[in-house]
Amino acid sequence: MVNEFDDFAENYRSIHDGNLKISGGDSNYFSEYKILEIKRRDGDKKIESIFDFGCGDGIPLSYFRKYFPKADLYGTDISEKSIEKAKNKNIPNSTIFLINDERDLQNIENKKFDMIFISCVFHHIDDEKKLNNILNECYRILKDSGVLYIFEHNPKNPFTRKIVKDCIFDKGVRLIKHKRLKKLVSNNNFKKISVNFTLFFPRFFLFNPLFIFEKILIKLPIGGQYYIRAKKI
Ligand SMILES: C[S@@+](CC[C@H](N)C(=O)[O-])C[C@H]1O[C@@H](n2cnc3c(N)ncnc32)[C@H](O)[C@@H]1O
């Protein structure tokens, strides 16, 4: 099945980099910061397995490899070409597979994960039922001690809105407000849900001294992105 991301898989990173110029960072930077944030929050826990839902071309998985060297990595996506690119990265201890749609998650029967990571996928799925199905399956395949991370663009941030509006593979998407996503996560039984805001300042060198304040601003709902962290129990 051909997917919209198949059309962009080859040049995904260069398109993204061009689009992100006004932010001062590139797509690698924005992938790595997420994994560093997760490492800061949960790096001290025993994380043996990580599942990246909507893994795209596998860049976040490469950073998981770097910062969680002992974990077995799993990634899935509906874009065949993106999966091909992710597999070609030959990330050690990784299992990367194609799904037709979220219903294929039901085929994961004998495996549970310490961590599930979903980055900038949900705003491409503007369908409440599908989002609920995904979250319901994520809940099922997460270990009791497991943690869920969902990163999304913050529609309240004007720079984020501009970047998304100008991005060719974000055409027509509707960004998800943090309150709606929190409700969806809560409706699917997750507990200890927190919403955290990130990327308050542009990533140009000049702004470096301000980055330390972002940890203090984490509850201020105007950062460029936000993430939900939730536990199974
Ligand atoms: C903006 S990209 C993000 C890729 C990766 N998560 C990252 O952060 O670099 C969105 C990805 O979500 C995938 N996607 C969209 N709908 C999906 C679905 N229903 N199930 C799995 N993946 C999906 C797309 O194919 C694409 O690879």
Side-chain angles (χ1 to χ4, degrees), residues 3-5 12-13 31 34 52-57 59-60 76-79 82 99 101-102 117-121 123-125 130 134 169-170:
N3 157 276
E4 56 179 322
F5 273 88
Y12 176 80
R13 292 290 154 186
S31 291
K34 295 181 181 93
D52 182 354
F53 177 79
C55 66
D57 63 359
I59 294 283
T76 193
D77 202 286
I78 53 169
S79 158
S82 302
I99 53 170
D101 64 35
E102 63 288 341
F117 172 77
I118 306 175
S119 155
C120 297
V121 178
H123 64 270
H124 291 284
I125 308 174
K130 283 188 180 191
I134 293 165
F169 49 76
D170 277 337

PDB file of all heavy atoms in Angstrom, residues 3-5 12-13 31 34 52-57 59-60 76-79 82 99 101-102 117-121 123-125 130 134 169-170, ligand 1:
ATOM      1  N   ASN A   3       1.856   5.024   0.754  1.00  0.00           N
ATOM      2  CA  ASN A   3       1.510   5.923   1.843  1.00  0.00           C
ATOM      3  C   ASN A   3       2.073   7.300   1.503  1.00  0.00           C
ATOM      4  O   ASN A   3       3.058   7.413   0.782  1.00  0.00           O
ATOM      5  CB  ASN A   3       2.150   5.324   3.114  1.00  0.00           C
ATOM      6  CG  ASN A   3       2.378   6.329   4.189  1.00  0.00           C
ATOM      7  OD1 ASN A   3       3.382   7.033   4.213  1.00  0.00           O
ATOM      8  ND2 ASN A   3       1.431   6.388   5.079  1.00  0.00           N
ATOM      9  N   GLU A   4       1.453   8.365   2.045  1.00  0.00           N
ATOM     10  CA  GLU A   4       1.916   9.717   1.690  1.00  0.00           C
ATOM     11  C   GLU A   4       3.399   9.908   2.010  1.00  0.00           C
ATOM     12  O   GLU A   4       4.113  10.611   1.306  1.00  0.00           O
ATOM     13  CB  GLU A   4       1.066  10.771   2.405  1.00  0.00           C
ATOM     14  CG  GLU A   4       1.059  10.569   3.900  1.00  0.00           C
ATOM     15  CD  GLU A   4       0.246  11.583   4.694  1.00  0.00           C
ATOM     16  OE1 GLU A   4       0.245  12.759   4.335  1.00  0.00           O
ATOM     17  OE2 GLU A   4      -0.352  11.172   5.695  1.00  0.00           O
ATOM     18  N   PHE A   5       3.891   9.254   3.079  1.00  0.00           N
ATOM     19  CA  PHE A   5       5.292   9.432   3.444  1.00  0.00           C
ATOM     20  C   PHE A   5       6.234   8.694   2.504  1.00  0.00           C
ATOM     21  O   PHE A   5       7.420   8.997   2.461  1.00  0.00           O
ATOM     22  CB  PHE A   5       5.533   9.038   4.909  1.00  0.00           C
ATOM     23  CG  PHE A   5       5.287  10.193   5.824  1.00  0.00           C
ATOM     24  CD1 PHE A   5       4.022  10.427   6.327  1.00  0.00           C
ATOM     25  CD2 PHE A   5       6.291  11.096   6.143  1.00  0.00           C
ATOM     26  CE1 PHE A   5       3.757  11.521   7.131  1.00  0.00           C
ATOM     27  CE2 PHE A   5       6.044  12.194   6.947  1.00  0.00           C
ATOM     28  CZ  PHE A   5       4.777  12.402   7.451  1.00  0.00           C
ATOM     29  N   TYR A  12      13.186  13.031   2.900  1.00  0.00           N
ATOM     30  CA  TYR A  12      12.501  13.479   4.116  1.00  0.00           C
ATOM     31  C   TYR A  12      13.373  14.413   4.953  1.00  0.00           C
ATOM     32  O   TYR A  12      12.955  15.500   5.342  1.00  0.00           O
ATOM     33  CB  TYR A  12      12.072  12.255   4.947  1.00  0.00           C
ATOM     34  CG  TYR A  12      11.434  12.599   6.270  1.00  0.00           C
ATOM     35  CD1 TYR A  12      10.100  12.985   6.344  1.00  0.00           C
ATOM     36  CD2 TYR A  12      12.165  12.555   7.451  1.00  0.00           C
ATOM     37  CE1 TYR A  12       9.507  13.309   7.556  1.00  0.00           C
ATOM     38  CE2 TYR A  12      11.587  12.879   8.668  1.00  0.00           C
ATOM     39  CZ  TYR A  12      10.259  13.244   8.716  1.00  0.00           C
ATOM     40  OH  TYR A  12       9.688  13.577   9.922  1.00  0.00           O
ATOM     41  N   ARG A  13      14.609  13.998   5.187  1.00  0.00           N
ATOM     42  CA  ARG A  13      15.471  14.790   6.081  1.00  0.00           C
ATOM     43  C   ARG A  13      15.867  16.130   5.460  1.00  0.00           C
ATOM     44  O   ARG A  13      15.892  17.141   6.151  1.00  0.00           O
ATOM     45  CB  ARG A  13      16.724  13.981   6.474  1.00  0.00           C
ATOM     46  CG  ARG A  13      16.403  12.791   7.371  1.00  0.00           C
ATOM     47  CD  ARG A  13      15.965  13.200   8.772  1.00  0.00           C
ATOM     48  NE  ARG A  13      15.115  12.179   9.392  1.00  0.00           N
ATOM     49  CZ  ARG A  13      14.500  12.326  10.560  1.00  0.00           C
ATOM     50  NH1 ARG A  13      14.619  13.418  11.264  1.00  0.00           N
ATOM     51  NH2 ARG A  13      13.727  11.370  11.032  1.00  0.00           N
ATOM     52  N   SER A  31      15.423  15.413  16.669  1.00  0.00           N
ATOM     53  CA  SER A  31      15.245  14.005  17.066  1.00  0.00           C
ATOM     54  C   SER A  31      16.039  13.733  18.341  1.00  0.00           C
ATOM     55  O   SER A  31      15.539  13.109  19.278  1.00  0.00           O
ATOM     56  CB  SER A  31      15.771  13.056  15.978  1.00  0.00           C
ATOM     57  OG  SER A  31      14.956  13.109  14.858  1.00  0.00           O
ATOM     58  N   LYS A  34      14.756  14.927  21.877  1.00  0.00           N
ATOM     59  CA  LYS A  34      13.669  14.138  22.478  1.00  0.00           C
ATOM     60  C   LYS A  34      14.253  12.968  23.273  1.00  0.00           C
ATOM     61  O   LYS A  34      13.843  12.700  24.404  1.00  0.00           O
ATOM     62  CB  LYS A  34      12.731  13.587  21.392  1.00  0.00           C
ATOM     63  CG  LYS A  34      11.985  14.647  20.620  1.00  0.00           C
ATOM     64  CD  LYS A  34      11.067  14.018  19.587  1.00  0.00           C
ATOM     65  CE  LYS A  34      10.324  15.045  18.771  1.00  0.00           C
ATOM     66  NZ  LYS A  34      10.948  15.430  17.522  1.00  0.00           N
ATOM     67  N   ASP A  52       9.167   2.085  19.025  1.00  0.00           N
ATOM     68  CA  ASP A  52       8.941   3.380  18.377  1.00  0.00           C
ATOM     69  C   ASP A  52       7.818   3.220  17.356  1.00  0.00           C
ATOM     70  O   ASP A  52       8.022   2.639  16.290  1.00  0.00           O
ATOM     71  CB  ASP A  52      10.259   3.823  17.708  1.00  0.00           C
ATOM     72  CG  ASP A  52      10.146   5.190  17.042  1.00  0.00           C
ATOM     73  OD1 ASP A  52       9.029   5.739  16.987  1.00  0.00           O
ATOM     74  OD2 ASP A  52      11.188   5.705  16.586  1.00  0.00           O
ATOM     75  N   PHE A  53       6.636   3.745  17.699  1.00  0.00           N
ATOM     76  CA  PHE A  53       5.481   3.632  16.795  1.00  0.00           C
ATOM     77  C   PHE A  53       5.497   4.819  15.831  1.00  0.00           C
ATOM     78  O   PHE A  53       5.491   5.970  16.257  1.00  0.00           O
ATOM     79  CB  PHE A  53       4.176   3.616  17.600  1.00  0.00           C
ATOM     80  CG  PHE A  53       2.959   3.567  16.716  1.00  0.00           C
ATOM     81  CD1 PHE A  53       2.555   2.372  16.140  1.00  0.00           C
ATOM     82  CD2 PHE A  53       2.249   4.724  16.414  1.00  0.00           C
ATOM     83  CE1 PHE A  53       1.454   2.317  15.294  1.00  0.00           C
ATOM     84  CE2 PHE A  53       1.144   4.682  15.571  1.00  0.00           C
ATOM     85  CZ  PHE A  53       0.751   3.467  15.011  1.00  0.00           C
ATOM     86  N   GLY A  54       5.519   4.531  14.520  1.00  0.00           N
ATOM     87  CA  GLY A  54       5.643   5.596  13.510  1.00  0.00           C
ATOM     88  C   GLY A  54       7.087   6.040  13.427  1.00  0.00           C
ATOM     89  O   GLY A  54       7.386   7.233  13.448  1.00  0.00           O
ATOM     90  N   CYS A  55       7.982   5.059  13.321  1.00  0.00           N
ATOM     91  CA  CYS A  55       9.434   5.308  13.466  1.00  0.00           C
ATOM     92  C   CYS A  55      10.040   6.036  12.275  1.00  0.00           C
ATOM     93  O   CYS A  55      11.188   6.475  12.332  1.00  0.00           O
ATOM     94  CB  CYS A  55      10.168   3.992  13.699  1.00  0.00           C
ATOM     95  SG  CYS A  55      10.094   2.863  12.280  1.00  0.00           S
ATOM     96  N   GLY A  56       9.284   6.174  11.175  1.00  0.00           N
ATOM     97  CA  GLY A  56       9.802   6.881  10.004  1.00  0.00           C
ATOM     98  C   GLY A  56      11.092   6.241   9.506  1.00  0.00           C
ATOM     99  O   GLY A  56      11.220   5.009   9.450  1.00  0.00           O
ATOM    100  N   ASP A  57      12.070   7.094   9.169  1.00  0.00           N
ATOM    101  CA  ASP A  57      13.319   6.574   8.587  1.00  0.00           C
ATOM    102  C   ASP A  57      14.327   6.107   9.632  1.00  0.00           C
ATOM    103  O   ASP A  57      15.473   5.817   9.311  1.00  0.00           O
ATOM    104  CB  ASP A  57      13.945   7.622   7.660  1.00  0.00           C
ATOM    105  CG  ASP A  57      14.353   8.888   8.415  1.00  0.00           C
ATOM    106  OD1 ASP A  57      14.134   8.954   9.641  1.00  0.00           O
ATOM    107  OD2 ASP A  57      14.888   9.822   7.781  1.00  0.00           O
ATOM    108  N   ILE A  59      15.698   7.640  12.387  1.00  0.00           N
ATOM    109  CA  ILE A  59      16.665   8.524  13.072  1.00  0.00           C
ATOM    110  C   ILE A  59      16.461   8.495  14.596  1.00  0.00           C
ATOM    111  O   ILE A  59      17.431   8.309  15.336  1.00  0.00           O
ATOM    112  CB  ILE A  59      16.603   9.976  12.521  1.00  0.00           C
ATOM    113  CG1 ILE A  59      17.074  10.015  11.068  1.00  0.00           C
ATOM    114  CG2 ILE A  59      17.405  10.935  13.384  1.00  0.00           C
ATOM    115  CD1 ILE A  59      18.574   9.942  10.853  1.00  0.00           C
ATOM    116  N   PRO A  60      15.207   8.621  15.085  1.00  0.00           N
ATOM    117  CA  PRO A  60      15.070   8.517  16.552  1.00  0.00           C
ATOM    118  C   PRO A  60      15.587   7.180  17.092  1.00  0.00           C
ATOM    119  O   PRO A  60      16.213   7.146  18.156  1.00  0.00           O
ATOM    120  CB  PRO A  60      13.554   8.662  16.774  1.00  0.00           C
ATOM    121  CG  PRO A  60      13.070   9.431  15.589  1.00  0.00           C
ATOM    122  CD  PRO A  60      13.922   8.965  14.442  1.00  0.00           C
ATOM    123  N   THR A  76       8.079   0.551  14.013  1.00  0.00           N
ATOM    124  CA  THR A  76       7.126   0.198  12.969  1.00  0.00           C
ATOM    125  C   THR A  76       6.553   1.458  12.334  1.00  0.00           C
ATOM    126  O   THR A  76       6.547   2.532  12.938  1.00  0.00           O
ATOM    127  CB  THR A  76       5.991  -0.683  13.543  1.00  0.00           C
ATOM    128  OG1 THR A  76       5.274  -1.248  12.473  1.00  0.00           O
ATOM    129  CG2 THR A  76       5.033   0.117  14.408  1.00  0.00           C
ATOM    130  N   ASP A  77       6.091   1.302  11.092  1.00  0.00           N
ATOM    131  CA  ASP A  77       5.530   2.441  10.370  1.00  0.00           C
ATOM    132  C   ASP A  77       4.663   1.892   9.230  1.00  0.00           C
ATOM    133  O   ASP A  77       4.792   0.724   8.853  1.00  0.00           O
ATOM    134  CB  ASP A  77       6.678   3.290   9.780  1.00  0.00           C
ATOM    135  CG  ASP A  77       6.260   4.722   9.489  1.00  0.00           C
ATOM    136  OD1 ASP A  77       5.524   4.939   8.503  1.00  0.00           O
ATOM    137  OD2 ASP A  77       6.649   5.627  10.249  1.00  0.00           O
ATOM    138  N   ILE A  78       3.794   2.772   8.704  1.00  0.00           N
ATOM    139  CA  ILE A  78       2.975   2.334   7.558  1.00  0.00           C
ATOM    140  C   ILE A  78       3.612   2.718   6.222  1.00  0.00           C
ATOM    141  O   ILE A  78       3.078   2.388   5.174  1.00  0.00           O
ATOM    142  CB  ILE A  78       1.538   2.914   7.618  1.00  0.00           C
ATOM    143  CG1 ILE A  78       1.586   4.439   7.788  1.00  0.00           C
ATOM    144  CG2 ILE A  78       0.717   2.276   8.715  1.00  0.00           C
ATOM    145  CD1 ILE A  78       0.250   5.107   7.595  1.00  0.00           C
ATOM    146  N   SER A  79       4.733   3.438   6.266  1.00  0.00           N
ATOM    147  CA  SER A  79       5.396   3.838   5.021  1.00  0.00           C
ATOM    148  C   SER A  79       6.500   2.831   4.686  1.00  0.00           C
ATOM    149  O   SER A  79       7.518   2.740   5.379  1.00  0.00           O
ATOM    150  CB  SER A  79       5.971   5.252   5.166  1.00  0.00           C
ATOM    151  OG  SER A  79       7.001   5.459   4.241  1.00  0.00           O
ATOM    152  N   SER A  82       9.934   4.406   4.094  1.00  0.00           N
ATOM    153  CA  SER A  82      10.581   4.853   5.335  1.00  0.00           C
ATOM    154  C   SER A  82      11.148   3.646   6.084  1.00  0.00           C
ATOM    155  O   SER A  82      12.269   3.695   6.615  1.00  0.00           O
ATOM    156  CB  SER A  82       9.580   5.590   6.232  1.00  0.00           C
ATOM    157  OG  SER A  82       9.032   6.694   5.560  1.00  0.00           O
ATOM    158  N   ILE A  99       3.718  -2.033   8.986  1.00  0.00           N
ATOM    159  CA  ILE A  99       2.328  -2.425   9.282  1.00  0.00           C
ATOM    160  C   ILE A  99       1.416  -1.788   8.228  1.00  0.00           C
ATOM    161  O   ILE A  99       1.780  -0.761   7.642  1.00  0.00           O
ATOM    162  CB  ILE A  99       1.870  -2.003  10.702  1.00  0.00           C
ATOM    163  CG1 ILE A  99       2.107  -0.502  10.955  1.00  0.00           C
ATOM    164  CG2 ILE A  99       2.509  -2.852  11.759  1.00  0.00           C
ATOM    165  CD1 ILE A  99       1.471   0.016  12.233  1.00  0.00           C
ATOM    166  N   ASP A 101      -1.864  -0.924   8.922  1.00  0.00           N
ATOM    167  CA  ASP A 101      -2.462   0.121   9.747  1.00  0.00           C
ATOM    168  C   ASP A 101      -2.386  -0.324  11.207  1.00  0.00           C
ATOM    169  O   ASP A 101      -1.838  -1.391  11.522  1.00  0.00           O
ATOM    170  CB  ASP A 101      -3.887   0.492   9.307  1.00  0.00           C
ATOM    171  CG  ASP A 101      -4.873  -0.657   9.463  1.00  0.00           C
ATOM    172  OD1 ASP A 101      -4.734  -1.435  10.421  1.00  0.00           O
ATOM    173  OD2 ASP A 101      -5.781  -0.779   8.632  1.00  0.00           O
ATOM    174  N   GLU A 102      -2.932   0.521  12.071  1.00  0.00           N
ATOM    175  CA  GLU A 102      -2.757   0.294  13.515  1.00  0.00           C
ATOM    176  C   GLU A 102      -3.341  -1.047  13.985  1.00  0.00           C
ATOM    177  O   GLU A 102      -2.915  -1.576  15.012  1.00  0.00           O
ATOM    178  CB  GLU A 102      -3.339   1.462  14.325  1.00  0.00           C
ATOM    179  CG  GLU A 102      -4.818   1.706  14.212  1.00  0.00           C
ATOM    180  CD  GLU A 102      -5.236   2.284  12.868  1.00  0.00           C
ATOM    181  OE1 GLU A 102      -4.382   2.829  12.137  1.00  0.00           O
ATOM    182  OE2 GLU A 102      -6.422   2.148  12.546  1.00  0.00           O
ATOM    183  N   PHE A 117       7.399   4.945  22.399  1.00  0.00           N
ATOM    184  CA  PHE A 117       7.732   6.306  21.959  1.00  0.00           C
ATOM    185  C   PHE A 117       6.953   6.594  20.672  1.00  0.00           C
ATOM    186  O   PHE A 117       6.981   5.797  19.731  1.00  0.00           O
ATOM    187  CB  PHE A 117       9.244   6.350  21.712  1.00  0.00           C
ATOM    188  CG  PHE A 117       9.775   7.590  21.070  1.00  0.00           C
ATOM    189  CD1 PHE A 117       9.932   8.767  21.792  1.00  0.00           C
ATOM    190  CD2 PHE A 117      10.174   7.578  19.737  1.00  0.00           C
ATOM    191  CE1 PHE A 117      10.462   9.912  21.191  1.00  0.00           C
ATOM    192  CE2 PHE A 117      10.703   8.712  19.138  1.00  0.00           C
ATOM    193  CZ  PHE A 117      10.852   9.875  19.861  1.00  0.00           C
ATOM    194  N   ILE A 118       6.238   7.718  20.664  1.00  0.00           N
ATOM    195  CA  ILE A 118       5.463   8.096  19.468  1.00  0.00           C
ATOM    196  C   ILE A 118       5.763   9.567  19.192  1.00  0.00           C
ATOM    197  O   ILE A 118       5.371  10.441  19.968  1.00  0.00           O
ATOM    198  CB  ILE A 118       3.942   7.898  19.705  1.00  0.00           C
ATOM    199  CG1 ILE A 118       3.646   6.465  20.169  1.00  0.00           C
ATOM    200  CG2 ILE A 118       3.153   8.227  18.440  1.00  0.00           C
ATOM    201  CD1 ILE A 118       2.181   6.206  20.546  1.00  0.00           C
ATOM    202  N   SER A 119       6.480   9.823  18.112  1.00  0.00           N
ATOM    203  CA  SER A 119       6.950  11.188  17.897  1.00  0.00           C
ATOM    204  C   SER A 119       6.385  11.782  16.609  1.00  0.00           C
ATOM    205  O   SER A 119       6.672  11.297  15.505  1.00  0.00           O
ATOM    206  CB  SER A 119       8.485  11.177  17.871  1.00  0.00           C
ATOM    207  OG  SER A 119       8.990  12.243  17.146  1.00  0.00           O
ATOM    208  N   CYS A 120       5.582  12.815  16.775  1.00  0.00           N
ATOM    209  CA  CYS A 120       5.040  13.583  15.643  1.00  0.00           C
ATOM    210  C   CYS A 120       4.302  12.702  14.639  1.00  0.00           C
ATOM    211  O   CYS A 120       4.394  12.900  13.427  1.00  0.00           O
ATOM    212  CB  CYS A 120       6.159  14.376  14.959  1.00  0.00           C
ATOM    213  SG  CYS A 120       6.878  15.587  16.066  1.00  0.00           S
ATOM    214  N   VAL A 121       3.588  11.715  15.167  1.00  0.00           N
ATOM    215  CA  VAL A 121       2.808  10.792  14.330  1.00  0.00           C
ATOM    216  C   VAL A 121       1.319  11.150  14.425  1.00  0.00           C
ATOM    217  O   VAL A 121       0.610  11.166  13.419  1.00  0.00           O
ATOM    218  CB  VAL A 121       3.021   9.328  14.799  1.00  0.00           C
ATOM    219  CG1 VAL A 121       2.181   8.362  13.972  1.00  0.00           C
ATOM    220  CG2 VAL A 121       4.492   8.942  14.726  1.00  0.00           C
ATOM    221  N   HIS A 123      -0.484  13.788  14.753  1.00  0.00           N
ATOM    222  CA  HIS A 123      -1.146  14.861  13.982  1.00  0.00           C
ATOM    223  C   HIS A 123      -1.351  14.442  12.525  1.00  0.00           C
ATOM    224  O   HIS A 123      -2.012  15.153  11.770  1.00  0.00           O
ATOM    225  CB  HIS A 123      -0.390  16.197  14.103  1.00  0.00           C
ATOM    226  CG  HIS A 123       0.983  16.212  13.524  1.00  0.00           C
ATOM    227  ND1 HIS A 123       2.105  15.877  14.246  1.00  0.00           N
ATOM    228  CD2 HIS A 123       1.422  16.516  12.282  1.00  0.00           C
ATOM    229  CE1 HIS A 123       3.164  15.988  13.485  1.00  0.00           C
ATOM    230  NE2 HIS A 123       2.789  16.373  12.280  1.00  0.00           N
ATOM    231  N   HIS A 124      -0.793  13.285  12.147  1.00  0.00           N
ATOM    232  CA  HIS A 124      -1.050  12.749  10.802  1.00  0.00           C
ATOM    233  C   HIS A 124      -2.246  11.784  10.804  1.00  0.00           C
ATOM    234  O   HIS A 124      -2.607  11.250   9.765  1.00  0.00           O
ATOM    235  CB  HIS A 124       0.186  12.017  10.273  1.00  0.00           C
ATOM    236  CG  HIS A 124       1.315  12.959   9.978  1.00  0.00           C
ATOM    237  ND1 HIS A 124       1.347  13.766   8.868  1.00  0.00           N
ATOM    238  CD2 HIS A 124       2.437  13.258  10.689  1.00  0.00           C
ATOM    239  CE1 HIS A 124       2.437  14.512   8.881  1.00  0.00           C
ATOM    240  NE2 HIS A 124       3.115  14.221   9.982  1.00  0.00           N
ATOM    241  N   ILE A 125      -2.808  11.551  11.985  1.00  0.00           N
ATOM    242  CA  ILE A 125      -3.935  10.608  12.072  1.00  0.00           C
ATOM    243  C   ILE A 125      -5.131  11.357  12.652  1.00  0.00           C
ATOM    244  O   ILE A 125      -5.368  11.323  13.854  1.00  0.00           O
ATOM    245  CB  ILE A 125      -3.568   9.405  12.975  1.00  0.00           C
ATOM    246  CG1 ILE A 125      -2.240   8.784  12.527  1.00  0.00           C
ATOM    247  CG2 ILE A 125      -4.688   8.366  12.985  1.00  0.00           C
ATOM    248  CD1 ILE A 125      -1.716   7.682  13.429  1.00  0.00           C
ATOM    249  N   LYS A 130      -9.088   5.799  15.378  1.00  0.00           N
ATOM    250  CA  LYS A 130      -7.761   5.220  15.137  1.00  0.00           C
ATOM    251  C   LYS A 130      -6.801   5.550  16.288  1.00  0.00           C
ATOM    252  O   LYS A 130      -6.042   4.703  16.748  1.00  0.00           O
ATOM    253  CB  LYS A 130      -7.165   5.767  13.839  1.00  0.00           C
ATOM    254  CG  LYS A 130      -7.765   5.146  12.605  1.00  0.00           C
ATOM    255  CD  LYS A 130      -7.002   5.586  11.380  1.00  0.00           C
ATOM    256  CE  LYS A 130      -7.616   4.957  10.141  1.00  0.00           C
ATOM    257  NZ  LYS A 130      -6.802   5.110   8.974  1.00  0.00           N
ATOM    258  N   ILE A 134      -4.864   2.886  18.672  1.00  0.00           N
ATOM    259  CA  ILE A 134      -3.404   2.859  18.862  1.00  0.00           C
ATOM    260  C   ILE A 134      -3.072   2.906  20.357  1.00  0.00           C
ATOM    261  O   ILE A 134      -2.279   2.105  20.871  1.00  0.00           O
ATOM    262  CB  ILE A 134      -2.729   4.041  18.127  1.00  0.00           C
ATOM    263  CG1 ILE A 134      -2.886   3.873  16.617  1.00  0.00           C
ATOM    264  CG2 ILE A 134      -1.247   4.142  18.505  1.00  0.00           C
ATOM    265  CD1 ILE A 134      -2.594   5.136  15.813  1.00  0.00           C
ATOM    266  N   PHE A 169       5.105  17.908   3.781  1.00  0.00           N
ATOM    267  CA  PHE A 169       4.457  16.668   4.235  1.00  0.00           C
ATOM    268  C   PHE A 169       3.532  16.871   5.432  1.00  0.00           C
ATOM    269  O   PHE A 169       2.998  15.915   5.982  1.00  0.00           O
ATOM    270  CB  PHE A 169       5.474  15.521   4.482  1.00  0.00           C
ATOM    271  CG  PHE A 169       6.656  15.876   5.317  1.00  0.00           C
ATOM    272  CD1 PHE A 169       6.539  16.013   6.687  1.00  0.00           C
ATOM    273  CD2 PHE A 169       7.897  16.048   4.734  1.00  0.00           C
ATOM    274  CE1 PHE A 169       7.636  16.327   7.458  1.00  0.00           C
ATOM    275  CE2 PHE A 169       9.000  16.372   5.498  1.00  0.00           C
ATOM    276  CZ  PHE A 169       8.875  16.513   6.852  1.00  0.00           C
ATOM    277  N   ASP A 170       3.333  18.139   5.815  1.00  0.00           N
ATOM    278  CA  ASP A 170       2.347  18.426   6.858  1.00  0.00           C
ATOM    279  C   ASP A 170       1.109  19.100   6.264  1.00  0.00           C
ATOM    280  O   ASP A 170       0.292  19.679   6.984  1.00  0.00           O
ATOM    281  CB  ASP A 170       2.945  19.351   7.937  1.00  0.00           C
ATOM    282  CG  ASP A 170       3.747  18.565   8.960  1.00  0.00           C
ATOM    283  OD1 ASP A 170       3.508  17.359   9.101  1.00  0.00           O
ATOM    284  OD2 ASP A 170       4.629  19.166   9.614  1.00  0.00           O
TER     285      ASP A 170
HETATM  286  C1  LIG B   1       6.523  13.309  10.748  1.00  0.00           C
HETATM  287  S1  LIG B   1       6.920  11.621  10.547  1.00  0.00           S
HETATM  288  C2  LIG B   1       7.766  11.284  12.074  1.00  0.00           C
HETATM  289  C3  LIG B   1       8.712  10.128  11.980  1.00  0.00           C
HETATM  290  C4  LIG B   1       9.457   9.795  13.278  1.00  0.00           C
HETATM  291  N1  LIG B   1       8.544   9.437  14.327  1.00  0.00           N
HETATM  292  C5  LIG B   1      10.324  10.938  13.719  1.00  0.00           C
HETATM  293  O1  LIG B   1      10.052  11.536  14.764  1.00  0.00           O
HETATM  294  O2  LIG B   1      11.316  11.215  13.031  1.00  0.00           O
HETATM  295  C6  LIG B   1       5.378  10.803  10.782  1.00  0.00           C
HETATM  296  C7  LIG B   1       5.448   9.307  10.568  1.00  0.00           C
HETATM  297  O3  LIG B   1       4.227   8.720  11.013  1.00  0.00           O
HETATM  298  C8  LIG B   1       3.923   7.646  10.156  1.00  0.00           C
HETATM  299  N2  LIG B   1       2.505   7.315  10.285  1.00  0.00           N
HETATM  300  C9  LIG B   1       1.427   8.046   9.898  1.00  0.00           C
HETATM  301  N3  LIG B   1       0.284   7.390  10.177  1.00  0.00           N
HETATM  302  C10 LIG B   1       0.647   6.216  10.767  1.00  0.00           C
HETATM  303  C11 LIG B   1      -0.076   5.080  11.285  1.00  0.00           C
HETATM  304  N4  LIG B   1      -1.416   5.026  11.244  1.00  0.00           N
HETATM  305  N5  LIG B   1       0.622   4.056  11.812  1.00  0.00           N
HETATM  306  C12 LIG B   1       1.980   4.096  11.855  1.00  0.00           C
HETATM  307  N6  LIG B   1       2.723   5.128  11.366  1.00  0.00           N
HETATM  308  C13 LIG B   1       2.065   6.163  10.833  1.00  0.00           C
HETATM  309  C14 LIG B   1       4.306   8.174   8.778  1.00  0.00           C
HETATM  310  O4  LIG B   1       4.433   7.155   7.817  1.00  0.00           O
HETATM  311  C15 LIG B   1       5.618   8.892   9.101  1.00  0.00           C
HETATM  312  O5  LIG B   1       6.731   8.041   8.981  1.00  0.00           O
END
